Structure formats: C-alpha cells, structure tokens
Amino acid sequence: MRHSGWFLMVPCLCASSFFAGHAQSSSAASGEDAPENITVAAPLDYTLYNISASTSFSTGGQTPFWMVSNRYGLVPLQANNASLQAQVYHYQPLGGKFHFHAGLDLVAVTPRYRKVYVQQLFAEVAYDWLHLSVGSRGDADHEADYHASLPDVSLSSGDLALSSNARPIPEINLYTPHFIRVPWTGGWLQVRGNFAAGRSFDTDYLESFVRTAQYYNRDVLWHHKSVYLRMKDTENDFPFSMTVGLRHIAQWGGVSTNPAAGTQPHSLKDFIRVVMGQSGGDDATASDRINVLGNHYGTYDLQLGYERPDASLHVYYQHFFDDASGMEFDNALDGLMGVQLNLHGHGTHRWLNKILVERLNMLNQSGPFHFISFDHDKYPGYGGGGDNYYNNGEYVTGASYFNRSTGSPLLVSPEYNTGGELGFRHNRITAWYLGVEGDLAKDFSYRLRCSDMESRGTPYAPTLKKLHALSVAATVTYQCRHAWLFALTLATDRGDLLGNHAGVGFSITRRGFLR
C-alpha cells in the first residue's frame, strides 16, 4: 500500500511530575475490570506490591467478550479459567530532577499456551519531563500516560491505534507522560509525544496456533510515534479546549516462514526508511519496494473539551488510516467517534460518575478495490481501496500480539479464528458502545459495558450476511480498608458473530507497600 513520505515526525516531548501523591492500582489477571479505585498514599521513595487471584466460569466454551477484551491479554479466551498475578513496582528519586522506576509482573494462569510467564518487566529513567522506558510495560501505574490515548483507557471500547487489549510489546520508548506548556504561548498551547521501537516475542505461540498452510513473519519489529498539540487555558479560566494528534505505527523486519522470502530487511538504514514511511531497498519484497517498507497504519485524533469544577464533557474522533488513501480521507469518516461526560463528586459518592457513548464505523476502507498498477494520467491519485484494516499481505499477523488486537477489540482478534488462521476476519465493522461507571454506596462501585456489533467480514472475504454480536458485562467492586478489593463480574454474548455465552468472574486483590 502506498503511503505518503511525511510519516517522519519529530515527536514533541512534554512533561509532568511522575506521581501526583498517589499510585493507581494495576490490572488483575481476571475477567473483572482493573481495580482503579484502590489508592495508596505514596512516599517519595517506595516499593509497591499488588497480588491478585481470580477465576471465571462460562457457558459455551468461551469467556464472554467484555471479560476478555481490554485486559492486556491476561484473561484466557477459553472458558473456565483461573489466575494468580504478582506485581512489584519501585520508585526511586536519584537526586535533582532525576528519578528511576521499575516493575515486575508475573502471571500464572490456566488454561493457557504457557501457564507461567512474565507480563511486565521494565525499567525507566526520567529527567524532569523526559522519560525513557525499556522493557515490557502495559498496566503499570499511570497506564493512560505511557501510551497516549484520547479515549478513556479504563472505560472506552478501545483506542484504534494502541489499546489495552493485548499483552504489552517489549520496547524502548522515549516519551512524555503529560502535556507541557509550549514557551511564548502564554500557557495556551501544550504538547506531548513519544518515539518507540520494539519487537514481538510470540513466535512459539503462533507455531502452536497455526493449523493451516499459511506463511507469516516471526520476531516482527515494531515502531510507533505520536505527537499531540492541545489548546487549553492552563489557568482554568476558559473552560473549552481542543486537542489534535497524529500517530504512526509500523511493523517491519522479522523472518518469514516462507523460505523464498526469508529474513526481512532490518538494518539501521531500513529503520530510517520505516520511520520516514519510505519504500524498501533492493533486498525488500516486491510489495515493499512498490509501496513502503513494512506494514504501516495510524490515526488522526481530535478532541474538544468543556471542563467545569463539577463536570467535564469531551467529544472525540479517531480517524483510522491504513495507507495514503486513508490519510487523504478517501476512506470517508472511518474511525471511532465518542462523547464522554464525567461528573465530579467533590468527596461525595455518585451513582453516576462517568458515561461514555461511542460509534465505530470501519465500512468504507477507501472503496472495494485496490489498484497497484493503473494509468496515473487517466486515473489521478493513489488508486487505493480495499484497505483491509489491521491486515497486511506481508505481515499476516497484522495489528496483533499473541493473536490479540493491539488496537480496538471490536475488530475481532485473530484468536477467535476457530480454524487456526492468522489475520483479522472481521474488520468491516460497525458498532455502538456504552460505558458507565458510578458508586452504589460507600466502598461499592460498578462498571457497565455494552456493545452492539455488526460485521461484514473483510473487503477480500465478505460474509454472506451481516453477523451480529451483543455483548454486555457488569462489574461490582468492594474496596475494603484501602488495601483489599473484591470484584464480581457478570457477562454475556448473544449473536452469530461471537456465539452465545454467559459467564461469571470473581477476583480478590491485595495491595500495599513492601517498604
């Protein structure tokens, strides 16, 4: 697919303090949602632990959709599972504006391809607003800050570019956790960004999953970067704000299981080509020489906000592009639209704290056909079409890691492919989504997720009829003495897209300081 060469972005790096006097809890390996309500007053130098045990039971042989999705790949798709997760995080000031942060997250789960594994292992150094993280990091403290996302990480159906749906990919990420003021703008303009490179480590899993004669790339390399600009009155006198952003994600390198293709280009020069969105050299495949080196996609992000002391309202739109035609909006308004209302209780408990409504439409895909060779004089433009979101001819696993979508889970992950095929079989999706959070009573809170999806397959393998799935999950949590959290989830799927399933999940989480 042809891409414009202006993928080269120097991400603007922005700042904020690393902690704001408390540490949010991390996700438990369960069918329940993350226990964000646990807060612990944190000293400047501390080591924090988190232990969670969970289990879930489901009918129909499959865990319901919203018990599995946006759980950082922790919850098995197979029904009737149990897990134990142990996490340790350490924060250490180094003097001046320097500090150090590290985390280790071990998971034991059954049934699973590998029952004991490392979910997170990372170390981070920071100077003031500039952070450098190395390793596998997903649901650590301040999860929403590590990978910038306009949609609410805890409540949204899922970011189209980088969501919380899959296991974290090991990477080196230079980023800024918050917006910082741009000089000489009177505090009205802020900026943030990131620049990252990583690698997949799911080769053994893919070999166990694939049951068809299908070539794919092992040890895939990743690159992603972002830049966001926000116009906002940082003195909070003017309630309106606007945020615009651009994100670019690429898969490249690796070794093809096709002996004729073999090792893909992976030199420093090739990395520069990937960063800049340029075509491959003489050692690249024919497709990568015609188009660009690797598999590229991304989003344009826009958010309008209105904030008052008692409430805030945000309207956002993520426009997805898979090639140059999408970047030029030839794919119409394919993407995610959402509106979120937050009500601030000022120390009181509300039955409604957040409500979010989203609409996903991925039908256009720049038209039904894609023409690589055509008469440019007679037919001006890129000739794009049949974008086949999250899929790629060279990188067959597409936008997935351990067969879970790294973007929105609503484009059904390859793990759901019962025949052992790789790739996304349902990316022409439309969906409505509702998310609600609130407090039932003191120490009791709830979260409700509901999605109504329709699939028409893919541009190259459309379904004979529209397939439908209605998925609902409700979670009630009880926080006891700030250190214990109990969560109960009830969930169900109905329809011919995902099948009919009902499930119940329960988790117990304990958190505190080792020192």
Side-chain angles (χ1 to χ4, degrees):
M1 302 177 182
R2 297 187 66 89
H3 290 74
S4 170
W6 61 276
F7 269 131
L8 175 61
M9 299 183 296
V10 180
C12 300
L13 304 173
C14 46
S16 78
S17 58
F18 187 76
F19 280 91
H22 72 277
Q24 291 183 339
S25 73
S26 55
S27 305
S30 68
E32 292 74 37
D33 292 298
E36 285 89 356
N37 292 332
I38 294 181
T39 58
V40 182
L44 294 178
D45 176 3
Y46 70 91
T47 302
L48 181 71
Y49 74 88
N50 191 80
I51 299 176
S52 178
S54 65
T55 185
S56 70
F57 303 93
S58 307
T59 62
Q62 185 172 297
T63 308
F65 186 76
W66 286 116
M67 292 176 69
V68 171
S69 301
N70 290 338
R71 303 297 304 125
Y72 292 96
L74 286 165
V75 183
L77 181 60
Q78 186 173 340
N80 307 328
N81 51 70
S83 65
L84 179 66
Q85 185 177 17
Q87 303 166 314
V88 178
Y89 300 116
H90 178 71
Y91 174 77
Q92 177 71 52
L94 299 178
K97 296 183 178 181
F98 285 96
H99 61 257
F100 173 79
H101 184 210
L104 173 63
D105 181 358
L106 300 176
V107 176
V109 60
T110 185
R112 196 62 174 256
Y113 151 72
R114 180 168 293 166
K115 292 180 171 56
V116 179
Y117 62 92
V118 177
Q119 172 76 354
Q120 296 182 87
L121 177 61
F122 70 90
E124 177 177 287
V125 292
Y127 176 76
D128 197 6
W129 49 266
L130 184 59
H131 293 233
L132 177 64
S133 180
V134 179
S136 177
R137 181 178 179 186
D139 60 345
D141 295 303
H142 289 253
E143 58 186 354
D145 295 329
Y146 183 62
H147 289 147
S149 176
L150 290 185
D152 188 319
V153 173
S154 67
L155 192 60
S156 169
S157 64
D159 191 288
L160 291 183
L162 287 172
S163 72
S164 58
N165 191 56
R167 287 176 58 177
I169 298 172
E171 64 182 8
I172 301 172
N173 190 12
L174 184 66
Y175 74 104
T176 53
H178 301 288
F179 283 96
I180 58 169
R181 299 180 183 183
V182 176
W184 307 298
T185 63
W188 278 85
L189 182 63
Q190 303 92 47
V191 64
R192 69 174 296 180
N194 89 291
F195 187 94
R199 179 196 154 180
S200 293
F201 287 87
D202 56 357
T203 294
D204 292 343
Y205 163 80
L206 293 175
E207 289 179 353
S208 70
F209 179 85
V210 173
R211 298 191 297 274
T212 61
Q214 189 174 17
Y215 294 126
Y216 60 93
N217 280 11
R218 304 167 176 155
D219 304 326
V220 174
L221 302 178
W222 292 77
H223 164 64
H224 64 92
K225 56 181 175 286
S226 67
V227 60
Y228 282 87
L229 295 174
R230 185 178 69 182
M231 293 186 63
K232 180 180 180 180
D233 179 10
T234 53
E235 302 299 328
N236 297 319
D237 294 328
F238 187 71
F240 294 96
S241 64
M242 181 177 70
T243 303
V244 294
L246 172 62
R247 285 186 295 177
H248 169 215
I249 303 171
Q251 294 172 292
W252 64 293
V255 180
S256 174
T257 59
N258 182 357
T263 302
Q264 298 300 297
H266 58 279
S267 68
L268 177 59
K269 186 175 182 179
D270 294 315
F271 178 60
I272 295 174
R273 289 187 173 111
V274 168
V275 171
M276 299 182 66
Q278 295 179 340
S279 58
D282 295 337
D283 56 346
T285 63
S287 175
D288 283 359
R289 293 196 302 272
I290 294 173
N291 301 295
V292 295
L293 182 62
N295 175 33
H296 297 245
Y297 57 95
T299 62
Y300 296 131
D301 293 355
L302 171 65
Q303 178 175 271
L304 302 177
Y306 177 79
E307 299 182 21
R308 302 302 299 176
D310 58 343
S312 63
L313 179 68
H314 291 90
V315 179
Y316 53 89
Y317 168 55
Q318 283 194 305
H319 177 76
F320 187 81
F321 57 82
D322 195 65
D323 59 12
S325 62
M327 295 179 70
E328 296 177 349
F329 286 86
D330 284 345
N331 60 346
L333 294 179
D334 278 1
L336 180 71
M337 299 182 182
V339 56
Q340 178 169 342
L341 174 65
N342 292 357
L343 301 176
H344 311 304
H346 298 291
T348 64
H349 294 275
R350 294 175 176 266
W351 70 270
L352 178 63
N353 292 327
K354 296 180 181 179
I355 182 169
L356 177 152
V357 178
E358 292 179 334
R359 171 64 173 174
L360 177 68
N361 190 334
M362 305 292 265
L363 291 182
N364 187 281
Q365 305 213 17
S366 302
F369 305 107
H370 183 77
F371 300 96
I372 294 179
S373 300
F374 62 98
D375 188 337
H376 285 260
D377 295 329
K378 187 176 181 180
Y379 305 104
Y382 292 101
D387 289 342
N388 207 9
Y389 298 152
Y390 288 9
N391 284 324
N392 183 264
E394 301 287 343
Y395 293 85
V396 180
T397 53
S400 71
Y401 187 47
F402 282 91
N403 262 346
R404 295 276 176 95
S405 168
T406 55
S408 172
L410 295 176
L411 280 70
V412 184
S413 295
E415 189 177 14
Y416 285 85
N417 299 343
T418 56
E421 310 94 345
L422 297 174
F424 291 77
R425 301 177 64 187
H426 299 281
N427 58 25
R428 297 187 67 235
I429 289 280
T430 58
W432 284 98
Y433 172 83
L434 171 68
V436 182
E437 287 183 359
D439 298 315
L440 299 173
K442 182 180 180 181
D443 300 326
F444 284 90
S445 61
Y446 74 92
R447 177 179 297 161
L448 175 67
R449 298 174 182 267
C450 178
S451 62
D452 187 12
M453 297 189 291
E454 283 188 351
S455 171
R456 296 165 176 82
T458 72
Y460 301 102
T463 56
L464 296 178
K465 65 174 183 177
K466 291 187 292 186
L467 302 179
H468 179 260
L470 175 65
S471 299
V472 181
T475 299
V476 176
T477 60
Y478 169 61
Q479 181 175 319
C480 178
R481 299 181 180 179
H482 302 287
W484 289 92
L485 187 134
F486 303 86
L488 174 68
T489 295
L490 300 176
T492 184
D493 298 331
R494 289 293 181 265
D496 49 6
L497 176 57
L498 300 175
N500 297 324
H501 316 283
V504 57
F506 181 72
S507 72
I508 303 175
T509 302
R510 165 71 182 184
R511 184 170 191 173
F513 289 109
L514 291 176
R515 71 182 186 90

